[in-house]
Structure formats: structure tokens, C-alpha cells
Amino acid sequence: MSPPAILRGLIGSNAETGSIFASPDYVDLSKPPGHTSLFKKHFKPNWFLAYYNPINFLYGPGFLWCLIAILGYLLVPYDFEAERTKNFTSDLLLERIVLHTAIVWLYTGFWHVTLYSMKWGKRKYNPTNTGPTLGRLCHNIWYATLGAIQCGVWDSVFAFILANKKFGYTPDSEVFSSPITLAINLLAVVGAQWWRDIHFYFVHRMIHFRFLYKHVHSIHHRNTDVEPFAGLSMHPIEHLYYFSCAHAMVLLGASPFVAFYSLVHCTISPAAGHSGFEDNLQSDTFHFLHHTKFECNYGTVGIPFDYWFGTLRDKFGDNSYAGGADNVPEDPKAEEGKKDTYLSGGIRPVSEWVWGNSNQALFDIICCLLIPYFVYCKIMDRVNGEAVDATFAAFVATWGPVVVGFLFWKFSDVQSWRWPFHNEKIIGQCGLNLGLGLLISVWPIFPIVYLALN
């Protein structure tokens, strides 16, 4: 029995049946998965009328993620009064890490089990691959869990900053104090998706530049035929810049829920979008094309950045792509061509869990161990009452991985640092996208780290 008409399409479900296991209503079911034009549906001249209509928030998956965030916010509330009398505590850290890890495992696990174990998905983009191997699944869960842990760390930092009044915010008790305050907070929640689409495009373009792609974003692209846990399967440095979307929401001065919702949005929104199927809630042909073709569709169908910048690929079987990006290396010898064997078969022996090359190992040691340890030492110095150069520490935490990535490119790579955008002009589209990517990804992190240390 179909649900009432008003409920059909709610949270992004199918507009006709109300099911979360059905293709979007615009999909031509007579065609193979991924062969229906996205351009005709999403990139109309008046696209912004529907996109910026707040009512449509209820009819997109963002509303579902908001409900999940509300549940987590109520079940594990912040205790600002307790934190105000303490320094940064391990109890707060553990609490937020467990919360975000549970949300990621439960939500992403739901999509993996229903689509791959229970076989509720019928329209797989790549029907020859029935599902991830055990090795690939373990790989994706590992990196997704690292993302959830980092999310919990940032949530703890946000709570510490707000509890100690290092930055102003609207207490939940005052959200309903006036129509204006309520409207501002509601707009911040609805607008989180708008900001996410802007942030995602430019940061995604930035980490596709060779000097960051090789040691960072390439981890995510080990999955060409994606599955739910692949969505958050990223290198920790990619998580750093990916979560900076939520950092900016702290600086709005709204309810703490706004930043919390943004973090939850970041962690679970990639799951169903990386399902590998066309017939489920939030199925994402647009991004699946990016994983298979690489040089296209860096953003979302929300704001047509790829159409404006010429990197749009409409559907499978479309050979009209004429973007400036290139998926062919300038020097094929620069790519070792080694297959990631741990993404196939069963769980690999412990001896094969080490890094595939010394450059990646050194990059990870510097960016994932030494830089965080440096910031941790500064936090401990501050806790012990010692003077801390918060500006320098914040600079190292935010710009450090970018600088290290560029130095690694300079001394160990023969590719252009701009690849795959080497055909674009530096003073033009290439420079514009890189500059905005650095600004949007790095800028929000700096004040958060600074406030935590100052």
C-alpha cells in the first residue's frame, strides 16, 4: 500500500511510491542504470528556484540526516556547564568519538546490508560486480572509521570552544525566544546543504590537483565501483579539509546543533550516494560517473558548477565531454600501475598491511602523526598554563599538509603539480578553482584551532 500523497517524496524517497528503494522519478527504467540524462532534470535555467526553496528541504535526504542528528543531539547532549569548569577532557573526547562512530556504522551499515546482503537493490551501475570483496570492505570500513573518529575529535573541540565562551553562540534555550532568532537558526540548518555543495565542489577540485591527489585523495579513488562505506573512505588529511565545512558553521554564532548537524551531514551523506545502485534513496549517478571517469563531475547536481566550468559528464554513453581536466597522465611512467591487491580477495596477511611505498609512509608520518602530535603538545602546554603561540600552531595544523604535499611533489614526482588540470590556465580557471579551494577548505579550520589554543 502506498503512503499518503503528502508523504511521497519525503526525505528524498520516490515521488510516486514513497519507497527508499526505488529509482528517482525522472529515471527512464527502460534504459540501463546511469543512462538517463541528468542535464534535463537538474540543469535548467531556473534551477535555483527549486534549489533554494526551503520547503524542498523536507523532500530531500538532508531532512532524514537532520532527524538523525536531532536524535543524537538529544541522546548524547552537550554538558557545557561541566566542560566550562574543566580543561579539554578525555571523557568528552571519548563520548563524541563513540557517538559519531556509532552513527556512521549504523547508517552506512544499513545501506550495505540492505543493498548487498539482502539484495534489495536491483539496478546496479556495474552489474558484473555483485559486491565488494572482504578485503575492499575492510579497507573502506577502516578509513570510514578513521573519519568518524576525526569527526568526534572536531565535535569535542567545538564543544570545548563554545563551553568556555571562546566564541559566541545561541543557547538552545534561546532559539525560540524570538521569531528572528528561530528563523536564523532554521535558515542555518536548511542552508547547511547549500554551503556543503559550494564547499564540496571547490575542496574536491583542490584535492584533485596532483600535489594533493597522489598521497591524499587517491585513497578515496581506490574504489572505482563504489559501495556505501566507500563514501567516507578517505585519507585522514582529506577528512581534515572535508570536515572544514562544519567548522564554518561554528562561526555563525547559532545553536550548537547547527555545527553538530553539519558534522553528521558530512559523515553519513556519502553513504547512500556511494551505494553503487540507481534504485535507492539518494542514488547518485552524477558522482558514480566521477569515480569511473575521474575527470568530471567534481560537484553535485545541486549547484551546476561542473556545467559552468566545463567538467560535466551527463550520463553513461555520453561522449560529448569537453572539459579541461584530463585522466591521461602526461608521463605514463609516473604512474607505477600497481594494483591495490588489498582491495581484492580476503583479508591480506599482516605483512602486506604496510605502506606500498616509502613516500606515502613518510607523508603519513609527517601529516598524520607529527603534525597532530605537535598540536597536541601545544594543547597540553596551554592546559598547564604555559604560553602558546596559537597563530603558529593553527598555521601548522591547517596549512601544514598542503605545504608537505607540495614539497613531496617537488622532490619526488615528474607529473605537473596541476595535473589533471594542466591544460587550464593558471591565471584563469585553474588558479580560480585552486585559490577558492584553499580558501574554503583551510580558512574555516584556522580560527577553530586558534580559538582552542588561545
Side-chain angles (χ1 to χ4, degrees):
M1 184 176 65
S2 298
I6 193 173
L7 298 180
R8 297 173 195 169
L10 206 64
I11 68 168
S13 60
N14 183 273
E16 294 182 2
T17 65
S19 173
I20 63 172
F21 293 98
S23 298
D25 59 301
Y26 68 87
V27 169
D28 185 347
L29 297 178
S30 66
K31 298 180 178 179
H35 285 71
T36 299
S37 173
L38 298 166
F39 186 85
K40 295 178 181 179
K41 168 65 178 179
H42 296 286
F43 301 111
K44 299 176 182 178
N46 61 345
W47 63 272
F48 53 89
L49 294 179
Y51 180 75
Y52 290 111
N53 183 351
I55 300 300
N56 284 340
F57 174 74
L58 302 175
Y59 292 90
F63 183 43
L64 172 62
W65 304 327
C66 185
L67 295 175
I68 293 172
I70 291 174
L71 182 62
Y73 194 73
L74 294 176
L75 290 177
V76 189
Y78 296 116
D79 188 353
F80 285 173
E81 288 299 324
E83 292 304 322
R84 192 168 294 140
T85 61
K86 303 176 184 177
N87 288 310
F88 195 75
T89 64
S90 58
D91 290 344
L92 172 65
L93 189 65
L94 180 61
E95 173 189 274
R96 309 319 288 183
I97 288 176
V98 170
L99 171 62
H100 287 283
T101 302
I103 291 174
V104 169
W105 282 0
L106 289 173
Y107 184 81
T108 311
F110 168 81
W111 289 110
H112 182 85
V113 169
T114 54
L115 293 172
Y116 288 93
S117 298
M118 303 177 72
K119 309 295 184 183
W120 288 2
K122 305 300 180 185
R123 291 177 59 84
K124 198 171 188 308
Y125 293 115
N126 182 5
T128 60
N129 185 358
T130 57
T133 62
L134 178 60
R136 182 154 69 100
L137 182 59
C138 291
H139 168 277
N140 292 341
I141 292 176
W142 164 249
Y143 280 102
T145 303
L146 290 180
I149 291 172
Q150 186 175 148
C151 181
V153 172
W154 286 120
D155 195 6
S156 304
V157 173
F158 295 169
F160 175 74
I161 289 172
L162 298 181
N164 288 279
K165 299 184 178 180
K166 293 172 176 286
F167 197 85
Y169 69 97
T170 303
D172 292 335
S173 59
E174 297 180 10
V175 169
F176 295 91
S177 62
S178 72
I180 294 179
T181 304
L182 177 60
I184 290 174
N185 281 271
L186 288 176
L187 182 61
V189 171
V190 174
Q193 178 65 59
W194 305 337
W195 166 240
R196 275 272 284 144
D197 284 346
I198 296 171
H199 182 274
F200 182 74
Y201 176 80
F202 288 106
V203 174
H204 192 191
R205 279 274 303 221
M206 178 192 77
I207 57 178
H208 262 269
F209 279 86
R210 177 70 177 183
F211 71 97
L212 285 176
Y213 178 84
K214 184 176 182 180
H215 297 297
V216 179
H217 192 47
S218 60
I219 302 295
H220 184 67
H221 273 276
R222 286 171 176 170
N223 291 274
T224 54
D225 186 13
V226 294
E227 56 85 29
F229 281 102
L232 200 60
S233 178
M234 308 173 188
H235 190 280
I237 298 305
E238 180 172 355
H239 286 135
L240 172 69
Y241 296 124
Y242 177 72
F243 288 132
S244 68
C245 172
H247 293 57
M249 307 306 283
V250 177
L251 306 177
L252 291 178
S255 163
F257 173 76
V258 175
F260 178 75
Y261 166 59
S262 297
L263 285 173
V264 172
H265 194 297
C266 287
T267 54
I268 65 177
S269 62
H274 285 76
S275 67
F277 287 83
E278 189 185 51
D279 54 345
N280 62 272
L281 174 76
Q282 199 211 346
S283 60
D284 197 344
T285 301
F286 194 78
H287 194 69
F288 189 84
L289 280 163
H290 172 74
H291 272 269
T292 56
K293 303 296 184 180
F294 180 80
E295 30 63 312
C296 64
N297 299 5
Y298 296 99
T300 68
V301 294
I303 303 177
F305 285 119
D306 285 287
Y307 176 62
W308 294 336
F309 287 108
T311 52
L312 172 69
R313 191 178 286 275
D314 184 32
K315 59 184 177 180
F316 284 100
D318 176 17
N319 297 318
S320 62
Y321 175 80
D326 190 359
N327 63 356
V328 179
E330 290 179 304
D331 182 1
K333 294 182 180 179
E335 301 299 321
E336 297 179 7
K338 295 181 179 179
K339 183 180 178 182
D340 290 325
T341 56
Y342 46 81
L343 295 186
S344 61
I347 300 178
R348 312 304 295 176
V350 175
S351 60
E352 295 185 23
W353 288 6
V354 297
W355 289 285
N357 61 75
S358 58
N359 283 340
Q360 183 70 55
L362 185 58
F363 178 88
D364 290 349
I365 290 171
I366 294 173
C367 292
C368 301
L369 295 178
L370 295 184
I371 290 179
Y373 181 71
F374 169 78
V375 176
Y376 171 78
C377 289
K378 295 302 178 183
I379 292 176
M380 290 299 101
D381 289 344
R382 179 205 162 282
V383 168
N384 294 327
E386 300 179 21
V388 173
D389 187 346
T391 301
F392 178 69
F395 178 86
V396 171
T398 54
W399 284 97
V402 174
V403 174
V404 172
F406 199 84
L407 290 175
F408 267 73
W409 164 81
K410 179 67 176 177
F411 295 106
S412 67
D413 205 336
V414 298
Q415 285 277 81
S416 166
W417 66 269
R418 291 187 290 145
W419 184 85
F421 309 110
H422 50 276
N423 294 324
E424 299 176 348
K425 296 181 179 179
I426 295 179
I427 304 178
Q429 183 167 312
C430 176
L432 174 65
N433 279 287
L434 178 59
L436 288 175
L438 289 170
L439 176 66
I440 288 174
S441 63
V442 173
W443 167 77
I445 306 173
F446 186 93
I448 295 299
V449 178
Y450 177 84
L451 288 170
L453 292 173
N454 192 26

